[in-house]
Amino acid sequence: MSMYGYARVSTKEQREDRQLMALTEMRLSLENIYVDKQSGKDFERPMYRRLIKKLKEEDLLYIKSIDRLGRNYEEILEQWRLLTREKKVDIVVLDMPLLDTRRGKDLMGTFLSDIVLQVLSFVAENERKNIRERQREGIEAARQRGVRFGRPRKPLPENFDQLSQSWLEGEITGKQAADLCGMPLTSFRRKSREKKSCEGG
């Protein structure tokens, strides 16, 4: 029997330290811990695929939490069944001691483990949906309060008003005016039209 660990973070900016710490506490060697820095929205993950190929019957796989296997109810269940029934490996979920397939190998033990897994997968997916909904509501509330998102707008050059007026009156070309402002032509034209519209011209 060989022991492995799998960790996943959703973006390259996130760190996997907490998961790695938990896995190394299980006395796993670092070469047997596979890490993906990629969203769990699909399973096109290089390290996960490599791990699946490596696993043999009766090997043991540790993961920190059930949602490391996927991002929704169906995918988590699908991967759980692939690992436990097709690959015939044992899984230990460190955050949830009930999900340890080494216990209760009889029919009743398997049945109880499956029930717990389905409930937890459903809860994990619902929590993610709730978080996304709260984020969306928070952003909408901030917008209504006048909070702007994205990069702050650059102030217009001091000579913009004069050159914009000259361009609008046909005294100089848009390119000449944009060059004198140090702005791209498209930005100069857009800002000039916005300003004219705001002034009711």
Side-chain angles (χ1 to χ4, degrees):
M1 181 193 78
S2 299
M3 297 194 306
Y4 296 92
Y6 178 68
R8 176 180 63 80
V9 289
S10 298
T11 66
K12 289 183 179 176
E13 290 74 35
Q14 289 180 332
R15 297 181 65 84
E16 67 277 10
D17 299 4
R18 191 170 57 88
Q19 292 177 64
L20 289 180
M21 191 181 301
L23 293 171
T24 51
E25 283 174 5
M26 298 296 104
R27 301 191 179 175
L28 295 173
S29 60
L30 284 173
E31 67 258 25
N32 279 1
I33 297 176
Y34 291 73
V35 181
D36 275 310
K37 292 194 174 188
Q38 191 169 336
S39 167
K41 67 183 176 183
D42 56 47
F43 281 90
E44 296 305 312
R45 295 177 282 172
M47 298 309 290
Y48 185 78
R49 287 203 308 269
R50 195 176 298 177
L51 170 64
I52 293 292
K53 286 179 184 173
K54 188 97 174 170
L55 287 167
K56 300 184 298 296
E57 189 172 341
E58 294 188 3
D59 282 348
L60 177 59
L61 174 64
Y62 287 96
I63 55 175
K64 178 79 168 70
S65 57
I66 191 66
D67 61 356
R68 297 306 85 196
L69 286 180
R71 292 193 63 166
N72 63 52
Y73 178 71
E74 290 83 9
E75 286 175 348
I76 292 170
L77 290 174
E78 181 187 332
Q79 292 307 306
W80 186 273
R81 290 184 180 121
L82 165 72
L83 292 163
T84 59
R85 294 181 187 172
E86 292 182 33
K87 300 295 289 186
K88 295 189 166 124
V89 303
D90 279 313
I91 305 177
V92 175
V93 180
L94 298 175
D95 280 357
M96 181 55 60
L98 278 171
L99 289 178
D100 181 344
T101 60
R102 296 170 301 178
R103 299 176 185 169
K105 291 286 189 181
D106 59 1
L107 185 61
M108 182 56 73
T110 303
F111 175 68
L112 290 173
S113 177
D114 277 359
I115 288 175
V116 172
L117 171 67
Q118 292 199 35
V119 170
L120 290 174
S121 301
F122 180 74
V123 168
E125 183 178 2
N126 266 356
E127 181 56 22
R128 271 189 300 274
K129 285 180 179 173
N130 289 338
I131 288 168
R132 283 197 298 270
E133 181 62 20
R134 286 196 295 270
Q135 287 172 337
R136 189 191 64 73
E137 288 171 355
I139 289 168
E140 185 56 36
R143 282 205 174 112
Q144 288 178 8
R145 292 195 311 270
V147 175
R148 291 187 177 217
F149 294 90
R151 284 184 284 179
R153 292 188 174 188
K154 284 185 179 177
L156 293 171
E158 288 182 9
N159 58 351
F160 175 82
D161 288 348
Q162 180 188 342
L163 290 165
S164 174
Q165 190 64 33
S166 297
W167 171 63
L168 290 168
E169 291 175 2
E171 295 171 4
I172 56 174
T173 67
K175 186 172 184 328
Q176 288 172 328
D179 287 346
L180 290 167
C181 282
M183 295 172 68
L185 179 57
T186 52
S187 297
F188 174 80
R189 285 176 173 161
R190 180 170 47 79
K191 296 283 186 187
S192 293
R193 289 184 182 120
E194 284 174 3
K195 188 169 178 55
K196 184 181 179 185
S197 175
C198 287
E199 290 170 353

